[in-house]
């Protein structure tokens, strides 16, 4: 079982309330959002989403329905042509947003510690001007974060010396070391074996709670969404919108290993699967209709 977190209060921001969500982390709202790629492909239509400060949501749906596009709208990499996407910062002045992708995003020529410090190397805060006290607090935070994901002893290791699961931990650490208000995860753990994945779920869940980060997780893994999030959204086929929204009733303190054995978890998983299955079937039916249409033309 993962040891309890013991982070010093000096180096971390105000902790969110003990329940679901909190006072830190940006809130995010989509209202009747539509998005079409310049190619003309309509990907999102009439999408409504609401994510409170410090909340975590999982976004699941048929392959290619538009989940990653939703993340790019939150990140401001694309602009919706219809409706409103609103990202409301929490007023702490913390770095707004970090993202972790499926692909390995750690830099192979830097050690674990250098990767984790990367954000600060590129920001003003990373250059000599900080006081000794704030440098010490930062060093302490880096040490604590490395300890939280059980990478003590590997600070000076290079990525090629780590397992796939350890590299994923470093990728997540690199993203959260900036203390972002929002963490966007795009199928971040799909290439990892199941036991390592569940252990990483625990680490990321604990870090996100401890640092008061709003998290949006795009995944094909229903168990991952159910164990790490406060709500799971099942999306429909393209142009996508929310098919169903499910509250996850497992609270702010979870033991990922034993959670998966509980009947409540299995019930939730089965409900999510039922809805996802419906949407996959709907997508396949849509594709068949399109192919028939093309053939008949
Ligand atoms: N830059 C682009 N230009 C045109 N079409 C794109 C672009 N990026 C993605 N698409 C298309 O938009 C649709 C939605 O893509 P997106 O990556 O958001 O889906 P997804 O649900 O995340 O997919 P997956 O489940 O396979 O990861 C897909 O059909 C994809 O081919």
């Amino acid at each position: 079982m993962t040891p309890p977190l013991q982070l010093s209060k000096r180096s971390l921001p105000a902790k969110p309330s003990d329940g679901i969500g909190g006072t830190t982390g940006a809130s995010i709202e989509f209202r009747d959002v539509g998005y079409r790629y310049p190619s003309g492909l309509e990907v999102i239509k009439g999408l409504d989403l609401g994510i409170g400060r410090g909340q975590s949501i999982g976004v699941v749906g048929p392959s290619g329905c538009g989940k990653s596009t939703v993340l790019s709208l939150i990140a401001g990499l694309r602009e919706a042509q219809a409706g409103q996407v609103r990202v409301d910062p929490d007023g702490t002045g913390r770095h707004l947003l970090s993202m972790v992708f499926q692909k390995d995003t750690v830099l192979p020529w830097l050690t674990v510690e250098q990767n984790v410090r990367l954000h600060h190397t590129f920001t003003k805060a990373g250059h000599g001007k900080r006081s000794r006290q704030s440098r010490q607090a930062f060093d302490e935070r880096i040490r604590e974060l490395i300890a939280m994901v059980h990478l003590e002893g590997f600070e000076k290791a290079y990525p090629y010396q780590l397992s796939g699961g350890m590299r994923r931990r470093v990728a997540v650490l690199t993203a959260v070391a900036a203390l972002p208000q929002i963490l966007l995860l795009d199928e971040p753990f799909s290439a990892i074996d199941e036991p390592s994945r569940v252990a990483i779920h625990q680490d990321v869940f604990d870090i996100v709670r401890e640092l008061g980060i709003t998290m949006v997780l795009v995944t094909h893994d229903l168990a991952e969404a159910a164990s790490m999030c406060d709500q799971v959204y099942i999306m429909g086929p393209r142009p996508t919108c929310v098919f169903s929204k499910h509250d996850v009733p497992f609270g702010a303190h979870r033991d990922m290993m034993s959670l998966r054995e509980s009947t409540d978890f299995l019930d939730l998983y089965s409900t999510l699967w039922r809805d996802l299955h419906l949407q996959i079937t709907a997508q396949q039916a849509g594709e068949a209709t399109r192919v028939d249409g093309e053939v008949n033309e």
Side-chain angles (χ1 to χ4, degrees):
M1 203 174 103
T2 310
L5 299 170
Q6 292 181 333
L7 290 157
S8 90
K9 298 292 172 253
R10 268 177 301 149
S11 57
L12 296 173
K15 202 178 167 186
S17 65
D18 212 27
I20 290 169
T23 55
T24 61
S27 62
I28 301 166
E29 192 183 4
F30 278 53
R31 252 195 241 159
D32 201 17
V33 167
Y35 182 79
R36 189 185 285 275
Y37 277 103
S39 63
L41 185 72
E42 188 180 28
V43 176
I44 296 172
K45 190 176 181 185
L47 176 59
D48 294 306
L49 284 179
I51 313 162
R53 298 191 192 288
Q55 281 202 325
S56 297
I57 69 151
V59 179
V60 184
S63 184
C65 72
K67 302 178 292 296
S68 301
T69 307
V70 171
L71 293 187
S72 65
L73 291 174
I74 296 172
L77 300 172
R78 302 186 186 283
E79 205 172 320
Q81 292 103 353
Q84 259 199 325
V85 176
R86 200 183 142 105
V87 174
D88 190 13
D90 62 13
T92 58
R94 277 164 55 181
H95 177 67
L96 185 63
L97 186 141
S98 294
M99 234 174 141
V100 180
F101 303 95
Q102 185 179 358
K103 281 221 169 108
D104 224 345
T105 42
V106 295
L107 298 180
W109 59 89
L110 297 181
T111 65
V112 166
E113 194 177 325
Q114 287 165 338
N115 266 290
V116 177
R117 288 173 177 274
L118 202 57
H119 167 79
H120 285 258
T121 310
F122 286 111
T123 57
K124 218 169 146 200
H127 298 292
K129 295 268 186 273
R130 291 180 305 155
S131 67
R132 201 162 141 242
Q133 208 177 13
S134 86
R135 271 201 314 273
Q136 276 173 349
F138 177 65
D139 288 347
E140 196 173 335
R141 167 146 46 94
I142 296 297
R143 269 198 302 278
E144 288 167 343
L145 286 172
I146 287 175
M148 278 176 89
V149 298
H150 312 106
L151 284 172
E152 305 111 310
F154 289 92
E155 292 86 348
K156 307 288 179 227
Y158 286 90
Y160 76 88
Q161 297 171 304
L162 306 175
S163 69
M166 289 161 104
R167 278 204 301 278
R168 291 281 72 200
R169 288 183 152 94
V170 177
V172 172
L173 270 194
T174 306
V176 299
L179 287 186
Q181 296 182 37
I182 300 173
L183 179 63
L184 302 180
L185 301 173
D186 197 351
E187 296 177 49
F189 314 121
S190 51
I192 306 173
D193 64 276
E194 181 98 1
S196 306
R197 198 156 70 227
V198 176
I200 295 182
H201 291 163
Q202 185 77 58
D203 291 343
V204 175
F205 180 81
D206 290 340
I207 284 188
V208 162
R209 296 283 149 164
E210 190 69 33
L211 302 184
I213 295 173
T214 303
M215 180 177 88
V216 182
L217 168 70
V218 163
T219 181
H220 286 288
D221 180 346
L222 288 173
E224 179 168 285
S227 48
M228 292 180 72
C229 298
D230 301 313
Q231 276 115 28
V232 179
Y233 287 83
I234 305 287
M235 311 294 287
R238 202 181 61 230
T240 199
C241 63
V242 175
F243 171 70
S244 59
K245 176 184 165 190
H246 304 261
D247 287 330
V248 177
F250 306 134
H253 303 281
R254 301 179 193 175
D255 176 347
M256 298 294 162
M257 292 288 179
S258 49
L259 184 61
R260 286 177 180 236
E261 292 162 16
S262 76
T263 315
D264 288 347
F265 183 85
L266 297 172
D267 285 348
L268 176 61
Y269 182 93
S270 128
T271 306
L272 294 174
W273 175 252
R274 186 200 58 208
D275 282 9
L276 179 60
H277 186 191
L278 276 174
Q279 295 317 294
I280 292 169
T281 309
Q283 170 164 291
Q284 286 165 347
E287 278 163 6
T289 310
R290 276 197 294 276
V291 170
D292 281 352
E294 281 162 18
V295 169
N296 292 337
E297 273 166 15

